[in-house]
Amino acid sequence: MMKENRVIQVKDVNIGKNIRKYRLEAGYKQTALVTQLQLAGYDISTFSYNRIEKGTQNPTVSLLLLLCSLLSCDMNDLFGMD
């Protein structure tokens, strides 16, 4: 049997928790941030956004990039990287 090479995740990052932290620091309510995302052309509902913050839905890379722009942070911040 051939051994497969795999990436082993040793630390689970809760991106939603980090997004929430930066959203609150920026002074946005969820609905206001969702409105800004929609105005920027990103199709998302408040329900879907809420699920992302709760960690039950994964964000897309394009959403993460837009959030970084709106929340004045970078990807390292959202992923909790130093």
Side-chain angles (χ1 to χ4, degrees):
M1 181 178 255
M2 189 173 177
K3 184 177 178 181
E4 292 182 36
N5 290 330
R6 301 185 297 180
V7 174
I8 299 172
Q9 186 172 341
V10 294
K11 181 180 177 190
D12 190 18
V13 176
N14 188 338
I15 296 171
K17 181 180 174 184
N18 294 337
I19 291 171
R20 181 178 190 275
K21 172 188 165 193
Y22 286 99
R23 174 181 59 81
L24 293 174
E25 285 180 6
Y28 281 108
K29 292 187 176 189
Q30 278 189 356
T31 53
L33 184 57
V34 168
T35 299
Q36 291 301 311
L37 291 167
Q38 291 169 342
L39 289 172
Y42 194 86
D43 186 22
I44 190 167
S45 67
T46 304
F47 177 75
S48 290
Y49 179 82
N50 182 272
R51 290 182 58 200
I52 289 169
E53 279 197 6
K54 286 183 177 180
T56 59
Q57 179 173 323
N58 290 324
T60 62
V61 173
S62 57
L63 175 60
L64 292 174
L65 289 170
L66 186 53
L67 285 170
C68 287
S69 174
L70 291 171
L71 301 177
S72 300
C73 63
D74 63 33
M75 286 285 196
N76 290 327
D77 296 327
L78 295 183
F79 282 91
M81 309 293 268
D82 294 324

